Amino acid sequence: MIWDRFRIDGRAAVVTGAGRGLGAAAAVALAQAGADVVISARTQEQLREVAAEIEAAGRRALVVPADLSDPDTAAELAGRAVEGLGRLDIVVNNMGGAMPAPFMDTEPRHLEKAFRFNVATAHALTRAAVPHLLEAGGSVVNISSAVGRIAGRGYLAYGSAKAALAHYTRLAAFDLAPRIRVNAIAVGSIATSALDVVMTSDELRTEMEGSTPLRRVGDPEDVAAAVLYLASPASAYVTGSLLRVDGGIETPNLDLHLEDL
């Protein structure tokens, strides 16, 4: 049955930034498809809630509260997974972000921070996971952004870092083939806490939906389904790919209204 190719029974995954939003949805989706999951983020209370959903799906959850902005801390999750779950098959690098800012307000340190948070941490965890992923053939899924491929004012640090993560994915896929697959998802506007300001404003939400070809804001499960596809045998012949889950946008769907210099 084709559905069986989406099953990941008995496998073990690590999901970063898993306390809420995309990371939480991805972790639960992987559990519902049969995986045990290591979940990590800063807030233990949020992780406990996600762990309860994983356990409700009949799988094991290992909660690791941590500040994953430190690449060394992120790297430690690979060992924690093997120690606690006995193996590691899937890595979901969901950690990342950067606040929008005008060009002249974006200092070099902001770029350095964005690259560290979005790229260096992903590399640190992936590198630490490689010896374990090689054992059974593993999958790495990086969460990039639509802003990493389209241009809009105010997204210099975030967009540059996410573009780097997308190309990192292509390069790592070549380096780690044929035993480990590496893919990324270019995520558009998703209804998570990061969009609270938009979701609570009828005007902003209408603007965003009207500028999106599919005329809606995405749901975290839209991304979680893509994570499952790329993590599972359903995508066994896919590596080095950037899967767009963005509603079809070709320009940013929220104008920050930054004036000309």
Side-chain angles (χ1 to χ4, degrees):
M1 294 287 290
I2 191 65
W3 306 116
D4 293 338
R5 298 194 66 173
F6 290 88
R7 296 296 307 178
I8 46 177
D9 297 288
R11 301 188 188 186
V14 168
V15 182
T16 63
R20 58 184 179 178
L22 302 184
V28 172
L30 294 174
Q32 291 173 345
D36 298 322
V37 191
V38 176
I39 51 175
S40 187
R42 286 189 178 93
T43 307
Q44 183 164 342
E45 182 179 347
Q46 292 177 341
L47 291 172
R48 293 292 183 193
E49 294 176 1
V50 178
E53 293 189 64
I54 292 170
E55 291 164 355
R59 305 310 306 178
R60 290 181 292 170
L62 180 59
V63 172
V64 183
D67 179 1
L68 299 177
S69 63
D70 177 12
D72 291 337
T73 301
E76 292 172 1
L77 293 176
R80 294 291 296 270
V82 175
E83 179 185 347
L85 302 178
R87 60 187 295 164
L88 178 57
D89 306 273
I90 299 161
V91 172
V92 180
N93 287 307
N94 174 59
M95 204 64 201
M99 292 298 294
F103 184 94
M104 294 303 293
D105 291 343
T106 303
E107 300 178 11
R109 62 185 176 87
H110 296 138
L111 283 168
E112 292 172 357
K113 182 178 179 181
F115 274 77
R116 181 182 180 89
F117 197 34
N118 292 273
V119 185
T121 54
H123 175 62
L125 174 52
T126 300
R127 182 172 177 270
V130 163
H132 310 294
L133 297 175
L134 284 170
E135 292 185 14
S139 175
V140 177
V141 182
N142 297 320
I143 304 300
S144 184
S145 170
V147 183
R149 67 172 189 86
I150 60 178
R153 284 184 174 176
Y155 300 105
L156 185 71
Y158 180 64
S160 296
K162 288 303 190 182
L165 181 62
H167 197 51
Y168 169 90
T169 297
R170 301 181 188 100
L171 296 170
F174 268 77
D175 284 339
L176 300 179
R179 296 289 293 160
I180 300 171
R181 298 184 300 107
V182 187
N183 294 287
I185 302 172
V187 175
S189 300
I190 308 297
T192 67
S193 58
L195 282 185
D196 277 349
V197 173
V198 173
M199 302 306 289
T200 55
S201 167
D202 290 340
E203 181 180 353
L204 291 176
R205 179 163 186 159
T206 298
E207 175 187 342
M208 181 171 282
E209 291 174 340
S211 300
T212 304
L214 290 184
R215 297 294 188 265
R216 70 176 178 89
V217 174
D219 184 88
E221 289 192 349
D222 292 324
V223 179
V227 170
L228 175 59
Y229 166 67
L230 293 174
S232 73
S235 63
Y237 201 51
V238 179
T239 196
S241 292
L242 182 67
L243 176 59
R244 292 174 53 184
V245 183
D246 59 11
I249 59 173
E250 293 296 338
T251 58
N253 55 2
L254 183 63
D255 189 348
L256 300 180
H257 302 291
L258 299 180
E259 297 181 356
D260 294 350
L261 295 180

PDB file of all heavy atoms in Angstrom, residues 165-202:
ATOM      1  N   LEU A 165      20.621  28.643   4.396  1.00  0.00           N
ATOM      2  CA  LEU A 165      20.200  27.323   4.852  1.00  0.00           C
ATOM      3  C   LEU A 165      19.701  26.475   3.688  1.00  0.00           C
ATOM      4  O   LEU A 165      19.949  25.265   3.631  1.00  0.00           O
ATOM      5  CB  LEU A 165      19.109  27.455   5.914  1.00  0.00           C
ATOM      6  CG  LEU A 165      18.590  26.139   6.513  1.00  0.00           C
ATOM      7  CD1 LEU A 165      19.717  25.389   7.233  1.00  0.00           C
ATOM      8  CD2 LEU A 165      17.437  26.404   7.469  1.00  0.00           C
ATOM      9  N   ALA A 166      19.011  27.107   2.743  1.00  0.00           N
ATOM     10  CA  ALA A 166      18.533  26.370   1.568  1.00  0.00           C
ATOM     11  C   ALA A 166      19.701  25.839   0.748  1.00  0.00           C
ATOM     12  O   ALA A 166      19.699  24.682   0.305  1.00  0.00           O
ATOM     13  CB  ALA A 166      17.643  27.271   0.716  1.00  0.00           C
ATOM     14  N   HIS A 167      20.724  26.669   0.538  1.00  0.00           N
ATOM     15  CA  HIS A 167      21.866  26.186  -0.249  1.00  0.00           C
ATOM     16  C   HIS A 167      22.722  25.222   0.569  1.00  0.00           C
ATOM     17  O   HIS A 167      23.305  24.281   0.008  1.00  0.00           O
ATOM     18  CB  HIS A 167      22.707  27.349  -0.758  1.00  0.00           C
ATOM     19  CG  HIS A 167      23.615  26.950  -1.878  1.00  0.00           C
ATOM     20  ND1 HIS A 167      23.178  26.279  -2.993  1.00  0.00           N
ATOM     21  CD2 HIS A 167      24.959  27.094  -2.038  1.00  0.00           C
ATOM     22  CE1 HIS A 167      24.185  26.039  -3.801  1.00  0.00           C
ATOM     23  NE2 HIS A 167      25.279  26.516  -3.235  1.00  0.00           N
ATOM     24  N   TYR A 168      22.800  25.443   1.865  1.00  0.00           N
ATOM     25  CA  TYR A 168      23.448  24.464   2.743  1.00  0.00           C
ATOM     26  C   TYR A 168      22.814  23.087   2.531  1.00  0.00           C
ATOM     27  O   TYR A 168      23.505  22.062   2.472  1.00  0.00           O
ATOM     28  CB  TYR A 168      23.293  24.888   4.210  1.00  0.00           C
ATOM     29  CG  TYR A 168      23.693  23.821   5.198  1.00  0.00           C
ATOM     30  CD1 TYR A 168      25.000  23.734   5.663  1.00  0.00           C
ATOM     31  CD2 TYR A 168      22.764  22.881   5.671  1.00  0.00           C
ATOM     32  CE1 TYR A 168      25.377  22.751   6.564  1.00  0.00           C
ATOM     33  CE2 TYR A 168      23.135  21.893   6.555  1.00  0.00           C
ATOM     34  CZ  TYR A 168      24.440  21.828   6.998  1.00  0.00           C
ATOM     35  OH  TYR A 168      24.809  20.836   7.878  1.00  0.00           O
ATOM     36  N   THR A 169      21.503  23.065   2.414  1.00  0.00           N
ATOM     37  CA  THR A 169      20.782  21.806   2.199  1.00  0.00           C
ATOM     38  C   THR A 169      21.261  21.118   0.921  1.00  0.00           C
ATOM     39  O   THR A 169      21.510  19.909   0.915  1.00  0.00           O
ATOM     40  CB  THR A 169      19.267  22.081   2.124  1.00  0.00           C
ATOM     41  OG1 THR A 169      18.830  22.611   3.385  1.00  0.00           O
ATOM     42  CG2 THR A 169      18.487  20.829   1.790  1.00  0.00           C
ATOM     43  N   ARG A 170      21.393  21.866  -0.166  1.00  0.00           N
ATOM     44  CA  ARG A 170      21.841  21.285  -1.430  1.00  0.00           C
ATOM     45  C   ARG A 170      23.261  20.744  -1.310  1.00  0.00           C
ATOM     46  O   ARG A 170      23.564  19.638  -1.792  1.00  0.00           O
ATOM     47  CB  ARG A 170      21.770  22.338  -2.535  1.00  0.00           C
ATOM     48  CG  ARG A 170      20.370  22.905  -2.761  1.00  0.00           C
ATOM     49  CD  ARG A 170      20.372  23.930  -3.894  1.00  0.00           C
ATOM     50  NE  ARG A 170      19.077  24.607  -3.979  1.00  0.00           N
ATOM     51  CZ  ARG A 170      18.827  25.815  -3.491  1.00  0.00           C
ATOM     52  NH1 ARG A 170      19.785  26.490  -2.878  1.00  0.00           N
ATOM     53  NH2 ARG A 170      17.635  26.351  -3.615  1.00  0.00           N
ATOM     54  N   LEU A 171      24.134  21.505  -0.673  1.00  0.00           N
ATOM     55  CA  LEU A 171      25.525  21.092  -0.531  1.00  0.00           C
ATOM     56  C   LEU A 171      25.650  19.876   0.391  1.00  0.00           C
ATOM     57  O   LEU A 171      26.376  18.924   0.097  1.00  0.00           O
ATOM     58  CB  LEU A 171      26.359  22.251   0.007  1.00  0.00           C
ATOM     59  CG  LEU A 171      26.458  23.474  -0.911  1.00  0.00           C
ATOM     60  CD1 LEU A 171      27.092  24.644  -0.167  1.00  0.00           C
ATOM     61  CD2 LEU A 171      27.264  23.151  -2.162  1.00  0.00           C
ATOM     62  N   ALA A 172      24.938  19.902   1.505  1.00  0.00           N
ATOM     63  CA  ALA A 172      24.992  18.783   2.443  1.00  0.00           C
ATOM     64  C   ALA A 172      24.425  17.516   1.823  1.00  0.00           C
ATOM     65  O   ALA A 172      24.907  16.410   2.093  1.00  0.00           O
ATOM     66  CB  ALA A 172      24.226  19.129   3.718  1.00  0.00           C
ATOM     67  N   ALA A 173      23.409  17.675   0.971  1.00  0.00           N
ATOM     68  CA  ALA A 173      22.835  16.504   0.304  1.00  0.00           C
ATOM     69  C   ALA A 173      23.876  15.795  -0.551  1.00  0.00           C
ATOM     70  O   ALA A 173      23.933  14.557  -0.594  1.00  0.00           O
ATOM     71  CB  ALA A 173      21.641  16.921  -0.554  1.00  0.00           C
ATOM     72  N   PHE A 174      24.724  16.563  -1.232  1.00  0.00           N
ATOM     73  CA  PHE A 174      25.803  15.963  -2.022  1.00  0.00           C
ATOM     74  C   PHE A 174      26.835  15.322  -1.121  1.00  0.00           C
ATOM     75  O   PHE A 174      27.317  14.210  -1.377  1.00  0.00           O
ATOM     76  CB  PHE A 174      26.461  17.026  -2.910  1.00  0.00           C
ATOM     77  CG  PHE A 174      25.849  17.120  -4.278  1.00  0.00           C
ATOM     78  CD1 PHE A 174      24.636  17.755  -4.464  1.00  0.00           C
ATOM     79  CD2 PHE A 174      26.487  16.566  -5.371  1.00  0.00           C
ATOM     80  CE1 PHE A 174      24.066  17.844  -5.722  1.00  0.00           C
ATOM     81  CE2 PHE A 174      25.933  16.641  -6.641  1.00  0.00           C
ATOM     82  CZ  PHE A 174      24.713  17.287  -6.820  1.00  0.00           C
ATOM     83  N   ASP A 175      27.199  16.006  -0.042  1.00  0.00           N
ATOM     84  CA  ASP A 175      28.223  15.489   0.859  1.00  0.00           C
ATOM     85  C   ASP A 175      27.807  14.189   1.537  1.00  0.00           C
ATOM     86  O   ASP A 175      28.637  13.312   1.789  1.00  0.00           O
ATOM     87  CB  ASP A 175      28.550  16.523   1.944  1.00  0.00           C
ATOM     88  CG  ASP A 175      29.418  17.666   1.431  1.00  0.00           C
ATOM     89  OD1 ASP A 175      30.089  17.491   0.398  1.00  0.00           O
ATOM     90  OD2 ASP A 175      29.416  18.736   2.068  1.00  0.00           O
ATOM     91  N   LEU A 176      26.526  14.069   1.845  1.00  0.00           N
ATOM     92  CA  LEU A 176      26.062  12.944   2.666  1.00  0.00           C
ATOM     93  C   LEU A 176      25.393  11.831   1.874  1.00  0.00           C
ATOM     94  O   LEU A 176      25.040  10.797   2.438  1.00  0.00           O
ATOM     95  CB  LEU A 176      25.114  13.464   3.750  1.00  0.00           C
ATOM     96  CG  LEU A 176      25.733  14.497   4.705  1.00  0.00           C
ATOM     97  CD1 LEU A 176      24.708  14.958   5.728  1.00  0.00           C
ATOM     98  CD2 LEU A 176      26.972  13.940   5.404  1.00  0.00           C
ATOM     99  N   ALA A 177      25.207  12.019   0.570  1.00  0.00           N
ATOM    100  CA  ALA A 177      24.655  10.941  -0.259  1.00  0.00           C
ATOM    101  C   ALA A 177      25.677   9.805  -0.346  1.00  0.00           C
ATOM    102  O   ALA A 177      26.887  10.040  -0.263  1.00  0.00           O
ATOM    103  CB  ALA A 177      24.349  11.478  -1.656  1.00  0.00           C
ATOM    104  N   PRO A 178      25.236   8.546  -0.501  1.00  0.00           N
ATOM    105  CA  PRO A 178      23.850   8.129  -0.730  1.00  0.00           C
ATOM    106  C   PRO A 178      23.115   7.667   0.526  1.00  0.00           C
ATOM    107  O   PRO A 178      21.946   7.330   0.450  1.00  0.00           O
ATOM    108  CB  PRO A 178      24.025   6.953  -1.688  1.00  0.00           C
ATOM    109  CG  PRO A 178      25.295   6.303  -1.203  1.00  0.00           C
ATOM    110  CD  PRO A 178      26.180   7.437  -0.767  1.00  0.00           C
ATOM    111  N   ARG A 179      23.779   7.644   1.682  1.00  0.00           N
ATOM    112  CA  ARG A 179      23.171   7.036   2.862  1.00  0.00           C
ATOM    113  C   ARG A 179      22.224   7.970   3.611  1.00  0.00           C
ATOM    114  O   ARG A 179      21.317   7.517   4.309  1.00  0.00           O
ATOM    115  CB  ARG A 179      24.259   6.560   3.829  1.00  0.00           C
ATOM    116  CG  ARG A 179      25.144   5.464   3.273  1.00  0.00           C
ATOM    117  CD  ARG A 179      24.408   4.152   3.162  1.00  0.00           C
ATOM    118  NE  ARG A 179      24.067   3.621   4.475  1.00  0.00           N
ATOM    119  CZ  ARG A 179      23.122   2.713   4.692  1.00  0.00           C
ATOM    120  NH1 ARG A 179      22.387   2.282   3.683  1.00  0.00           N
ATOM    121  NH2 ARG A 179      22.890   2.256   5.905  1.00  0.00           N
ATOM    122  N   ILE A 180      22.456   9.281   3.484  1.00  0.00           N
ATOM    123  CA  ILE A 180      21.643  10.243   4.227  1.00  0.00           C
ATOM    124  C   ILE A 180      21.037  11.239   3.241  1.00  0.00           C
ATOM    125  O   ILE A 180      21.745  11.811   2.417  1.00  0.00           O
ATOM    126  CB  ILE A 180      22.488  10.999   5.272  1.00  0.00           C
ATOM    127  CG1 ILE A 180      23.111  10.016   6.273  1.00  0.00           C
ATOM    128  CG2 ILE A 180      21.635  12.041   5.992  1.00  0.00           C
ATOM    129  CD1 ILE A 180      24.128  10.656   7.198  1.00  0.00           C
ATOM    130  N   ARG A 181      19.730  11.420   3.334  1.00  0.00           N
ATOM    131  CA  ARG A 181      19.051  12.401   2.492  1.00  0.00           C
ATOM    132  C   ARG A 181      18.896  13.715   3.255  1.00  0.00           C
ATOM    133  O   ARG A 181      18.636  13.705   4.458  1.00  0.00           O
ATOM    134  CB  ARG A 181      17.675  11.892   2.063  1.00  0.00           C
ATOM    135  CG  ARG A 181      17.729  10.621   1.231  1.00  0.00           C
ATOM    136  CD  ARG A 181      16.362  10.176   0.732  1.00  0.00           C
ATOM    137  NE  ARG A 181      15.430   9.892   1.821  1.00  0.00           N
ATOM    138  CZ  ARG A 181      14.411  10.661   2.160  1.00  0.00           C
ATOM    139  NH1 ARG A 181      14.149  11.781   1.504  1.00  0.00           N
ATOM    140  NH2 ARG A 181      13.609  10.314   3.151  1.00  0.00           N
ATOM    141  N   VAL A 182      19.072  14.829   2.556  1.00  0.00           N
ATOM    142  CA  VAL A 182      18.946  16.151   3.169  1.00  0.00           C
ATOM    143  C   VAL A 182      18.046  17.010   2.286  1.00  0.00           C
ATOM    144  O   VAL A 182      18.350  17.222   1.108  1.00  0.00           O
ATOM    145  CB  VAL A 182      20.312  16.839   3.336  1.00  0.00           C
ATOM    146  CG1 VAL A 182      20.150  18.139   4.131  1.00  0.00           C
ATOM    147  CG2 VAL A 182      21.320  15.912   4.015  1.00  0.00           C
ATOM    148  N   ASN A 183      16.955  17.492   2.845  1.00  0.00           N
ATOM    149  CA  ASN A 183      16.002  18.325   2.117  1.00  0.00           C
ATOM    150  C   ASN A 183      15.564  19.497   2.992  1.00  0.00           C
ATOM    151  O   ASN A 183      15.841  19.527   4.197  1.00  0.00           O
ATOM    152  CB  ASN A 183      14.784  17.504   1.695  1.00  0.00           C
ATOM    153  CG  ASN A 183      15.131  16.439   0.672  1.00  0.00           C
ATOM    154  OD1 ASN A 183      15.380  16.739  -0.490  1.00  0.00           O
ATOM    155  ND2 ASN A 183      15.153  15.179   1.104  1.00  0.00           N
ATOM    156  N   ALA A 184      14.901  20.444   2.379  1.00  0.00           N
ATOM    157  CA  ALA A 184      14.430  21.611   3.129  1.00  0.00           C
ATOM    158  C   ALA A 184      13.011  21.976   2.691  1.00  0.00           C
ATOM    159  O   ALA A 184      12.552  21.592   1.613  1.00  0.00           O
ATOM    160  CB  ALA A 184      15.358  22.802   2.907  1.00  0.00           C
ATOM    161  N   ILE A 185      12.351  22.727   3.551  1.00  0.00           N
ATOM    162  CA  ILE A 185      11.020  23.242   3.265  1.00  0.00           C
ATOM    163  C   ILE A 185      11.076  24.760   3.310  1.00  0.00           C
ATOM    164  O   ILE A 185      11.538  25.340   4.305  1.00  0.00           O
ATOM    165  CB  ILE A 185       9.984  22.728   4.275  1.00  0.00           C
ATOM    166  CG1 ILE A 185       9.952  21.198   4.277  1.00  0.00           C
ATOM    167  CG2 ILE A 185       8.600  23.289   3.963  1.00  0.00           C
ATOM    168  CD1 ILE A 185       9.103  20.603   5.374  1.00  0.00           C
ATOM    169  N   ALA A 186      10.642  25.414   2.243  1.00  0.00           N
ATOM    170  CA  ALA A 186      10.539  26.874   2.219  1.00  0.00           C
ATOM    171  C   ALA A 186       9.133  27.238   2.688  1.00  0.00           C
ATOM    172  O   ALA A 186       8.158  27.111   1.942  1.00  0.00           O
ATOM    173  CB  ALA A 186      10.803  27.410   0.811  1.00  0.00           C
ATOM    174  N   VAL A 187       9.046  27.666   3.909  1.00  0.00           N
ATOM    175  CA  VAL A 187       7.759  27.902   4.562  1.00  0.00           C
ATOM    176  C   VAL A 187       7.285  29.330   4.315  1.00  0.00           C
ATOM    177  O   VAL A 187       8.061  30.285   4.397  1.00  0.00           O
ATOM    178  CB  VAL A 187       7.894  27.639   6.076  1.00  0.00           C
ATOM    179  CG1 VAL A 187       6.602  27.991   6.801  1.00  0.00           C
ATOM    180  CG2 VAL A 187       8.269  26.185   6.317  1.00  0.00           C
ATOM    181  N   GLY A 188       6.013  29.459   4.030  1.00  0.00           N
ATOM    182  CA  GLY A 188       5.405  30.772   3.881  1.00  0.00           C
ATOM    183  C   GLY A 188       4.782  31.243   5.187  1.00  0.00           C
ATOM    184  O   GLY A 188       5.243  30.905   6.272  1.00  0.00           O
ATOM    185  N   SER A 189       3.734  32.018   5.099  1.00  0.00           N
ATOM    186  CA  SER A 189       3.065  32.570   6.286  1.00  0.00           C
ATOM    187  C   SER A 189       2.175  31.503   6.917  1.00  0.00           C
ATOM    188  O   SER A 189       1.194  31.074   6.307  1.00  0.00           O
ATOM    189  CB  SER A 189       2.235  33.790   5.890  1.00  0.00           C
ATOM    190  OG  SER A 189       3.059  34.776   5.321  1.00  0.00           O
ATOM    191  N   ILE A 190       2.517  31.106   8.135  1.00  0.00           N
ATOM    192  CA  ILE A 190       1.805  30.047   8.842  1.00  0.00           C
ATOM    193  C   ILE A 190       1.212  30.615  10.132  1.00  0.00           C
ATOM    194  O   ILE A 190       1.848  31.425  10.819  1.00  0.00           O
ATOM    195  CB  ILE A 190       2.750  28.872   9.178  1.00  0.00           C
ATOM    196  CG1 ILE A 190       3.499  28.395   7.925  1.00  0.00           C
ATOM    197  CG2 ILE A 190       1.965  27.729   9.810  1.00  0.00           C
ATOM    198  CD1 ILE A 190       2.626  27.826   6.824  1.00  0.00           C
ATOM    199  N   ALA A 191       0.026  30.183  10.473  1.00  0.00           N
ATOM    200  CA  ALA A 191      -0.686  30.693  11.651  1.00  0.00           C
ATOM    201  C   ALA A 191      -0.090  30.130  12.934  1.00  0.00           C
ATOM    202  O   ALA A 191      -0.600  29.188  13.534  1.00  0.00           O
ATOM    203  CB  ALA A 191      -2.170  30.348  11.557  1.00  0.00           C
ATOM    204  N   THR A 192       1.041  30.712  13.344  1.00  0.00           N
ATOM    205  CA  THR A 192       1.667  30.358  14.616  1.00  0.00           C
ATOM    206  C   THR A 192       1.750  31.624  15.470  1.00  0.00           C
ATOM    207  O   THR A 192       1.338  32.713  15.049  1.00  0.00           O
ATOM    208  CB  THR A 192       3.080  29.795  14.392  1.00  0.00           C
ATOM    209  OG1 THR A 192       3.925  30.841  13.876  1.00  0.00           O
ATOM    210  CG2 THR A 192       3.062  28.617  13.423  1.00  0.00           C
ATOM    211  N   SER A 193       2.347  31.505  16.662  1.00  0.00           N
ATOM    212  CA  SER A 193       2.462  32.666  17.546  1.00  0.00           C
ATOM    213  C   SER A 193       3.285  33.780  16.922  1.00  0.00           C
ATOM    214  O   SER A 193       3.133  34.951  17.290  1.00  0.00           O
ATOM    215  CB  SER A 193       3.085  32.237  18.879  1.00  0.00           C
ATOM    216  OG  SER A 193       4.354  31.654  18.672  1.00  0.00           O
ATOM    217  N   ALA A 194       4.166  33.435  15.957  1.00  0.00           N
ATOM    218  CA  ALA A 194       4.968  34.456  15.289  1.00  0.00           C
ATOM    219  C   ALA A 194       4.111  35.421  14.489  1.00  0.00           C
ATOM    220  O   ALA A 194       4.531  36.541  14.184  1.00  0.00           O
ATOM    221  CB  ALA A 194       6.002  33.797  14.375  1.00  0.00           C
ATOM    222  N   LEU A 195       2.896  35.008  14.151  1.00  0.00           N
ATOM    223  CA  LEU A 195       1.983  35.858  13.385  1.00  0.00           C
ATOM    224  C   LEU A 195       0.800  36.340  14.219  1.00  0.00           C
ATOM    225  O   LEU A 195      -0.232  36.713  13.673  1.00  0.00           O
ATOM    226  CB  LEU A 195       1.465  35.105  12.154  1.00  0.00           C
ATOM    227  CG  LEU A 195       2.398  35.000  10.946  1.00  0.00           C
ATOM    228  CD1 LEU A 195       1.673  34.322   9.787  1.00  0.00           C
ATOM    229  CD2 LEU A 195       2.920  36.359  10.507  1.00  0.00           C
ATOM    230  N   ASP A 196       0.957  36.346  15.536  1.00  0.00           N
ATOM    231  CA  ASP A 196      -0.146  36.758  16.401  1.00  0.00           C
ATOM    232  C   ASP A 196      -0.680  38.154  16.045  1.00  0.00           C
ATOM    233  O   ASP A 196      -1.888  38.386  16.030  1.00  0.00           O
ATOM    234  CB  ASP A 196       0.298  36.751  17.874  1.00  0.00           C
ATOM    235  CG  ASP A 196       0.209  35.354  18.480  1.00  0.00           C
ATOM    236  OD1 ASP A 196      -0.387  34.468  17.841  1.00  0.00           O
ATOM    237  OD2 ASP A 196       0.756  35.152  19.582  1.00  0.00           O
ATOM    238  N   VAL A 197       0.235  39.078  15.762  1.00  0.00           N
ATOM    239  CA  VAL A 197      -0.189  40.445  15.446  1.00  0.00           C
ATOM    240  C   VAL A 197      -1.053  40.456  14.193  1.00  0.00           C
ATOM    241  O   VAL A 197      -2.064  41.165  14.111  1.00  0.00           O
ATOM    242  CB  VAL A 197       1.044  41.356  15.259  1.00  0.00           C
ATOM    243  CG1 VAL A 197       0.606  42.718  14.756  1.00  0.00           C
ATOM    244  CG2 VAL A 197       1.805  41.492  16.568  1.00  0.00           C
ATOM    245  N   VAL A 198      -0.656  39.645  13.204  1.00  0.00           N
ATOM    246  CA  VAL A 198      -1.408  39.578  11.956  1.00  0.00           C
ATOM    247  C   VAL A 198      -2.753  38.887  12.164  1.00  0.00           C
ATOM    248  O   VAL A 198      -3.796  39.355  11.699  1.00  0.00           O
ATOM    249  CB  VAL A 198      -0.600  38.842  10.877  1.00  0.00           C
ATOM    250  CG1 VAL A 198      -1.436  38.615   9.621  1.00  0.00           C
ATOM    251  CG2 VAL A 198       0.655  39.641  10.537  1.00  0.00           C
ATOM    252  N   MET A 199      -2.728  37.762  12.861  1.00  0.00           N
ATOM    253  CA  MET A 199      -3.932  36.945  13.001  1.00  0.00           C
ATOM    254  C   MET A 199      -5.020  37.636  13.819  1.00  0.00           C
ATOM    255  O   MET A 199      -6.196  37.311  13.701  1.00  0.00           O
ATOM    256  CB  MET A 199      -3.579  35.595  13.630  1.00  0.00           C
ATOM    257  CG  MET A 199      -2.532  34.793  12.845  1.00  0.00           C
ATOM    258  SD  MET A 199      -2.960  34.547  11.108  1.00  0.00           S
ATOM    259  CE  MET A 199      -4.314  33.399  11.268  1.00  0.00           C
ATOM    260  N   THR A 200      -4.630  38.583  14.666  1.00  0.00           N
ATOM    261  CA  THR A 200      -5.620  39.277  15.491  1.00  0.00           C
ATOM    262  C   THR A 200      -6.071  40.592  14.862  1.00  0.00           C
ATOM    263  O   THR A 200      -6.886  41.313  15.443  1.00  0.00           O
ATOM    264  CB  THR A 200      -5.056  39.567  16.894  1.00  0.00           C
ATOM    265  OG1 THR A 200      -3.831  40.297  16.778  1.00  0.00           O
ATOM    266  CG2 THR A 200      -4.797  38.256  17.637  1.00  0.00           C
ATOM    267  N   SER A 201      -5.542  40.912  13.677  1.00  0.00           N
ATOM    268  CA  SER A 201      -5.939  42.129  12.966  1.00  0.00           C
ATOM    269  C   SER A 201      -6.648  41.744  11.676  1.00  0.00           C
ATOM    270  O   SER A 201      -6.044  41.158  10.772  1.00  0.00           O
ATOM    271  CB  SER A 201      -4.703  42.988  12.654  1.00  0.00           C
ATOM    272  OG  SER A 201      -5.014  44.000  11.719  1.00  0.00           O
ATOM    273  N   ASP A 202      -7.916  42.065  11.593  1.00  0.00           N
ATOM    274  CA  ASP A 202      -8.673  41.739  10.376  1.00  0.00           C
ATOM    275  C   ASP A 202      -8.046  42.393   9.149  1.00  0.00           C
ATOM    276  O   ASP A 202      -7.981  41.790   8.070  1.00  0.00           O
ATOM    277  CB  ASP A 202     -10.129  42.186  10.521  1.00  0.00           C
ATOM    278  CG  ASP A 202     -10.893  41.348  11.529  1.00  0.00           C
ATOM    279  OD1 ASP A 202     -10.441  40.224  11.827  1.00  0.00           O
ATOM    280  OD2 ASP A 202     -11.939  41.823  12.016  1.00  0.00           O
TER     281      ASP A 202
END
